[in-house]
C-alpha cells in the first residue's frame, strides 16, 4: 500500500505518518527529514539543499526527484511507503505517478492560527525525533529540552523562524494546495481535521482507510 500524507506545516502529518507506519508496518518517508540528514552529513545533495531548506524554500524538483529515487531503491519500501512532505508540486506528483501507484491521499487540515502556535513549540533532535513543547500529549518531551530516545539536547528547526514559516506557508498555498483537486478527481482524497487529539486523528485515518474491523 502506498499512501501520501499531505497538509500544512505543523498539521501533525509527521506524527501521523509515524503512527500509521507502526500500525501498517510500512515505512514512512519524510522528505524534509531526508534533507535534514543529507545536510547534517554534508553530502553533495545536502550542500545544494542547505540554503533552500534554511530559507523555507522548496529544493528544486530535479534534486528532490533524485533523492527520492535513491531512497526508494532501499528494500525496506518493497511492501509500500507512506509519503510525508512529498509530493509538493505538480511536477513532483507526475514524477511519483511514473514510479508507483498511490492508493490514498490523506489531507490533515488545520487553520493558520493554530499553525503558528504549533510551529513555535516544535523542537527536534538530530536522531530524527520531533517534539512539541506546547503539546499535551506524547509529543512533549519527558524532560524539558531533552530527547526521550537518545538523551541529546533538543534544538529548534533552523526553518521554524517567522520568516521561513511565512515562506513555507506561501509555497504550500501556491504549489501544494492545487494538488488537492487532482486527488479529489481521482477519488483518492481523504480530509481529516488536524485540530483534534493525536489519537482521534489517527482513528479517523484508520476508519477512512477502512480498517474498521481492527480498531476498538
Ligand atoms: P514542513 O512540512 O514543516 O515545511 P519538512 O520537514 O517536511 O517541513 O520540510 C523541510 C524543508 O525540506 C522544506 O521547507 C524544503 O526546503 C525541503 N523539502 C521537503 N520536502 C520537499 C519536497 N517535496 N520538495 C522540495 N523540497 C522539500
Ligand atoms: Zn534523539
Amino acid at each position: 500500500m502506498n499512501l501520501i500524507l499531505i497538509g500544512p506545516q505543523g498539521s501533525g502529518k509527521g506524527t501521523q505518518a509515524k503512527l500509521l507506519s507502526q500500525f501498517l508496518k510500512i515505512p514512512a518517508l519524510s522528505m524534509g527529514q531526508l534533507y535534514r540528514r543529507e545536510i547534517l552529513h554534508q553530502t553533495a545533495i545536502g550542500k545544494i539543499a542547505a540554503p533552500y531548506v534554511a530559507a523555507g524554500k522548496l529544493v528544486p524538483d530535479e534534486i528532490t526527484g533524485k533523492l527520492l529515487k535513491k531512497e526508494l531503491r532501499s528494500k525496506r519500501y518493497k511492501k509500500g511507503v507512506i509519503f510525508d512532505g512529498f509530493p509538493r508540486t505538480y511536477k513532483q506528483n507526475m514524477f511519483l505517478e511514473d514510479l508507483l501507484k498511490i492508493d490514498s491521499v490523506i489531507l490533515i487540515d488545520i487553520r493558520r492560527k493554530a499553525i503558528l502556535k504549533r510551529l513555535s513549540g516544535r523542537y527536534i533532535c538530530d536522531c530524527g525525533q520531533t517534539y512539541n513543547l506546547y503539546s499535551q500529549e506524547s509529543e512533549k518531551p519527558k524532560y524539558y529540552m531533552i530527547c526521550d530516545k537518545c538523551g541529546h539536547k533538543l534544538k529548534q528547526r533552523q526553518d521554524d523562524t517567522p520568516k521561513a514559516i511565512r515562506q513555507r506557508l506561501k509555497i504550500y498555498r501556491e504549489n501544494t494546495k492545487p494538488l488537492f483537486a487532482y486527488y479529489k478527481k481521482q477519488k483518492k482524497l481523504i480530509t481529516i481535521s488536524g485540530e483534534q487529539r493525536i489519537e482521534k486523528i489517527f482513528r479517523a485515518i484508520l476508519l477512512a482507510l477502512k480498517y474498521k474491523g481492527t480498531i476498538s
Side-chain angles (χ1 to χ4, degrees), residues 124-129 131 146-154:
I124 59 165
C125 177
D126 282 342
C127 76
Q129 276 300 107
Y131 296 91
I146 303 289
C147 177
D148 293 350
K149 282 259 165 79
C150 72
H152 281 115
K153 193 165 179 275
L154 302 181

Side-chain angles (χ1 to χ4, degrees), residues 110-202:
I110 162 178
R111 287 164 309 161
R112 196 184 166 90
K113 220 173 92 193
I115 292 173
L116 299 174
K117 171 147 198 253
R118 284 197 188 177
L119 293 185
S120 65
R122 181 155 81 178
Y123 282 79
I124 59 165
C125 177
D126 282 342
C127 76
Q129 276 300 107
T130 58
Y131 296 91
N132 203 304
L133 298 186
Y134 298 142
S135 176
Q136 304 298 313
E137 308 179 56
S138 55
E139 288 179 303
K140 196 170 173 169
K142 219 163 162 189
Y143 302 102
Y144 183 70
M145 294 296 280
I146 303 289
C147 177
D148 293 350
K149 282 259 165 79
C150 72
H152 281 115
K153 193 165 179 275
L154 302 181
K155 310 179 195 168
Q156 192 143 32
R157 262 172 57 168
Q158 141 196 65
D159 58 346
D160 277 345
T161 60
K163 195 171 167 210
I165 289 171
R166 270 199 306 276
Q167 174 72 253
R168 280 150 62 210
L169 289 173
K170 182 168 179 267
I171 291 173
Y172 176 75
R173 211 167 47 236
E174 291 173 358
N175 298 287
T176 309
K177 268 190 157 176
L179 294 175
F180 300 172
Y182 177 82
Y183 297 136
K184 207 168 177 180
K185 227 181 186 167
Q186 293 191 318
K187 302 205 182 337
K188 287 185 182 168
L189 191 70
I190 296 167
T191 307
I192 286 163
S193 164
E195 294 184 57
Q196 317 180 66
R197 292 182 60 93
I198 292 171
E199 174 72 24
K200 244 185 132 181
I201 300 170
F202 183 52

Side-chain angles (χ1 to χ4, degrees), residues 9-10 13 30-33 35-36 52-53 56-59 61 64 84-88 92 119 122 157 159 168:
Q9 284 70 19
K13 61 185 166 10
S30 157
M31 210 60 210
Q33 211 157 301
Y35 272 126
R36 282 189 289 278
Y52 292 99
V53 173
K57 291 186 176 154
L58 290 183
V59 182
D61 283 340
T64 300
D84 162 13
F86 185 92
R88 291 191 196 214
Q92 289 181 9
L119 293 185
R122 181 155 81 178
R157 262 172 57 168
D159 58 346
R168 280 150 62 210

